[in-house]
């Protein structure tokens, strides 16, 4: 198993003796797993890894959720977990958040999610969105804040997932 980071994407290369010519790739827990034939040269492998990273990034770009989808998802999550009390004035994706998965400005009711979340499982994106929604009701990270999030079934799993991605990519991204 070889782990590298290509264009900010943690990559795991798996060589398969059964594979003869084809290369394929899939997302797994924040990494891109690239399957290559065992006999491929290192130089060819490097070329293919870059190609697959670019290809997957392009397809995820096409699938990326629009800001409009985020707004309606925020309303659903607020209703499901916060009795509909968190009502953001705007929810949008941003590309320039290098140290946070999400942020909010409670005084203005605005929420921003890092576009680094795009391509991650929906339950991880939901967690970050719910986290920021809860901040509209509770600014800090005290017990009252975590009590608001407690009903979310995949709370600890989502936090662990994000910590894993941060560690694997060498980024110090925080969910706080
Ligand atoms: Zn927070």
């Amino acid at each position: 198993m070889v782990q590298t980071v290509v264009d900010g994407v943690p990559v795991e290369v798996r060589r398969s003796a059964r594979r003869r010519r084809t290369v394929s790739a899939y997302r797994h827990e924040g990494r891109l797993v690239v399957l290559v034939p065992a006999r491929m040269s290192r130089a060819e492998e490097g070329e293919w890894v870059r190609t697959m990273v670019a290809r997957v990034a392009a397809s995820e770009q096409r699938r990326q959720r629009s800001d409009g989808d985020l707004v309606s998802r925020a309303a659903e999550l607020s209703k499901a977990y916060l009795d509909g009390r968190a009502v953001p004035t705007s929810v949008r994706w941003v590309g320039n958040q290098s140290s946070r998965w999400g942020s909010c400005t409670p005084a203005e009711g605005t929420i921003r999610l890092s576009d680094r979340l795009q391509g991650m499982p929906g339950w991880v994106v939901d967690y970050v969105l719910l986290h920021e929604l809860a901040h509209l009701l509770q600014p800090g990270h005290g017990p009252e804040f975590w009590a608001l999030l407690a009903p979310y079934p995949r709370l600890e799993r989502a936090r662990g997932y994000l910590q894993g991605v941060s560690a694997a990519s060498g980024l110090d991204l925080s969910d706080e």
Side-chain angles (χ1 to χ4, degrees):
M1 185 175 106
V2 183
Q3 294 242 41
T4 49
V5 176
V6 179
D7 292 338
V9 179
V11 174
E12 178 186 324
V13 177
R14 291 188 192 161
R15 291 183 161 253
S16 161
R18 271 177 302 166
R19 221 165 246 278
R20 296 192 171 258
R21 302 173 67 87
T22 57
V23 176
S24 65
Y26 61 92
R27 283 272 188 191
H28 180 67
E29 294 179 350
R31 310 191 290 279
L32 186 70
V33 178
V34 180
L35 305 165
V36 302
R39 308 174 76 169
M40 187 174 267
S41 73
R42 292 288 163 196
E44 270 183 298
E45 175 190 302
E47 284 292 319
W48 270 108
V49 165
R50 281 189 293 280
T51 300
M52 296 316 267
V53 165
R55 213 175 267 178
V56 169
S59 86
E60 286 172 356
Q61 203 86 36
R62 284 193 293 277
R63 282 195 283 121
Q64 82 177 210
R65 296 195 249 177
S66 69
D67 291 351
D69 291 338
L70 267 189
V71 171
S72 53
R73 189 63 188 150
E76 286 168 18
L77 290 168
S78 177
K79 191 173 170 210
Y81 299 105
L82 302 168
D83 301 322
R85 287 179 297 135
V87 184
T89 55
S90 84
V91 188
R92 59 192 181 86
W93 293 108
V94 289
N96 58 356
Q97 305 215 113
S98 56
S99 64
R100 288 168 156 200
W101 296 116
S103 64
C104 74
T105 308
E108 293 165 12
T110 55
I111 291 176
R112 294 159 299 276
L113 294 198
S114 167
D115 61 11
R116 289 173 190 271
L117 292 163
Q118 290 173 356
M120 291 190 195
W123 50 270
V124 175
V125 181
D126 277 356
Y127 158 69
V128 177
L129 189 47
L130 184 60
H131 183 117
E132 300 308 329
L133 284 165
H135 275 317
L136 297 183
L137 309 174
Q138 282 288 340
H141 293 104
E144 303 91 341
F145 173 79
W146 290 109
L148 289 174
L149 293 189
Y152 186 64
R154 303 216 215 177
L155 180 64
E156 290 310 321
R157 246 188 107 189
R159 299 191 74 202
Y161 183 103
L162 293 170
Q163 281 163 9
V165 173
S166 297
S169 62
L171 297 165
D172 185 24
L173 286 155
S174 161
D175 74 338
E176 310 218 316

